[in-house]
Amino acid sequence: SLLPPLLALLCLGVADPNPDPDEPWCPYKVGGDGAAAAGARLCFRPPARGFQCAARGCRSHRSAGGALVANVLRNGSVLLQWGLRHWGPPRPAAALRGFALNCSWDGTYTRFPCDSVELGAACRDYLLAEAHGSVRYRLCLQPRYAPPRPAPPAQCVEFRVEPAAMRDIVVAMTAVGGSICVMLVFICLLVAYITENLMSPALARGGAAAAA
């Protein structure tokens, strides 16, 4: 049956059975509460190496400690990036067991939880593919270490995703404004051409006739 492989492809990125050791894949589990968390499927995704948040299509939001960055992209997705050097004193890399990511968003009267994510020790980024517009998100990330080392406190970042309708309006206004500017430039050039090439000879002939 082809159903199990197709279900595996639904995860955000499928791991190569023999991954390159120089570029480790990020294993993660997306779960909720209770039975949903117990049945979470293990998925893999490649790291987003070399990603930089361009000013025109992306906005960055950094946690207070500086370890966690949320890059809110123009298409409504959010790429989270983090490092370990902002999480207090250095700890042995072998003791790192992974990361716990918790998500919540503000409703009208209360705060609602999003899906929680468990990430492997090799993970340094995570893609939130579909974030709702006009909703304020709060994402908290906490490293997990093997006992007896205590886990450092979580670092949190808050952001709001621009609604898709507003993005479309901004794009449309930008396009219309650019067209208007081009038309004004063309009109100015046309007026200058008429003044230079048509009006000047007429004035010159009128001055010659008056002199005669």
Side-chain angles (χ1 to χ4, degrees), residues 48-62 69-75 77-81:
R49 296 187 182 275
F51 174 82
Q52 293 183 351
C53 188
R56 296 186 62 182
C58 175
R59 290 186 178 181
S60 294
H61 304 268
R62 187 176 295 272
V69 179
N71 301 297
V72 182
L73 304 177
R74 194 171 183 176
N75 61 3
S77 60
V78 181
L79 179 65
L80 300 174
Q81 294 177 308

Side-chain angles (χ1 to χ4, degrees), residues 191-207:
V191 170
Y193 175 81
I194 293 174
T195 303
E196 183 69 22
N197 294 277
L198 299 181
M199 300 291 292
S200 297
L203 292 175
R205 287 194 299 269

